Amino acid sequence: MADNARAKRLADLIREVVAEKLHRGIKDPRLGTHVTVTDTRVTGDLREATVFYTVFGDDEDRKAAAAGLESAKGVLRSAVGKAAGIKHTPSLTFVADALPENARTLDDALARARAADEEVRKASSGATYAGDADPYRKPGEAELDEDDGEADDAAGGKDESA
């Protein structure tokens, strides 16, 4: 089994070679410049590589790019083999990256949170406190509660008023 550093180096090399070959070497119009390689992962035994990609466009463009990548898989694997110079060239699997959809979902959630915060800010703009502005007692304030006087009487203390 290969060490993690070697797998990481091979994954980086595969990402660079596939991206360069897609940009300059493949003449398939389905791929063009709107396919971006985002990440590559290699198994520990260096036999299989997963290439994550994104496509700029709509669902039809994504389907066409997936078909184009499947048809160009052999050419891309041979380019990786030439660049890597290793005994066994890993087989390539292309997976559409879910990163753009996740980012869009997060952006929508943040926009909803901003809108809710703005509504709360508008609702509280003319509001006043229900009690005092500062409900906490400060040290050194000599306020006597009515309950303190009653506790002294129960303990057998004398009432000064009588």
Side-chain angles (χ1 to χ4, degrees):
M1 183 170 273
D3 60 346
N4 288 336
R6 185 172 180 200
K8 176 71 174 140
R9 282 194 314 267
L10 183 60
D12 291 342
L13 177 72
I14 291 171
R15 187 182 71 242
E16 291 172 10
V17 168
V18 169
E20 183 67 28
K21 193 72 171 169
L22 285 175
H23 185 64
R24 296 209 172 128
I26 306 283
K27 301 288 190 237
D28 194 342
R30 297 175 289 186
L31 299 175
T33 58
H34 58 276
V35 175
T36 304
V37 177
T38 57
D39 193 19
T40 306
R41 295 185 187 148
V42 178
T43 59
D45 61 356
L46 305 179
R47 295 284 180 165
E48 298 175 13
T50 305
V51 180
F52 295 93
Y53 68 95
T54 59
V55 178
F56 182 72
D58 58 358
D59 288 334
E60 187 176 311
D61 291 335
R62 289 185 190 99
K63 290 177 185 175
L69 287 170
E70 282 300 316
S71 69
K73 188 184 287 190
V75 174
L76 294 171
R77 185 174 180 211
S78 66
V80 168
K82 287 177 186 174
I86 55 178
K87 185 176 181 180
H88 178 76
T89 303
S91 61
L92 300 177
T93 305
F94 293 96
V95 176
D97 200 354
L99 185 69
E101 289 82 18
N102 292 343
R104 194 172 309 115
T105 303
L106 285 175
D107 285 341
D108 292 343
L110 289 173
R112 285 192 307 270
R114 277 190 218 101
D117 287 348
E118 187 62 31
E119 288 177 18
V120 169
R121 194 173 299 116
K122 285 179 183 177
S124 67
S125 64
T128 59
Y129 292 104
D132 294 335
D134 188 9
Y136 301 105
R137 293 184 187 176
K138 308 266 186 308
E141 289 182 358
E143 289 186 36
L144 293 175
D145 288 340
E146 297 166 24
D147 295 337
D148 290 340
E150 293 173 7
D152 288 339
D153 290 340
K158 294 184 179 179
D159 191 12
E160 304 279 333
S161 63

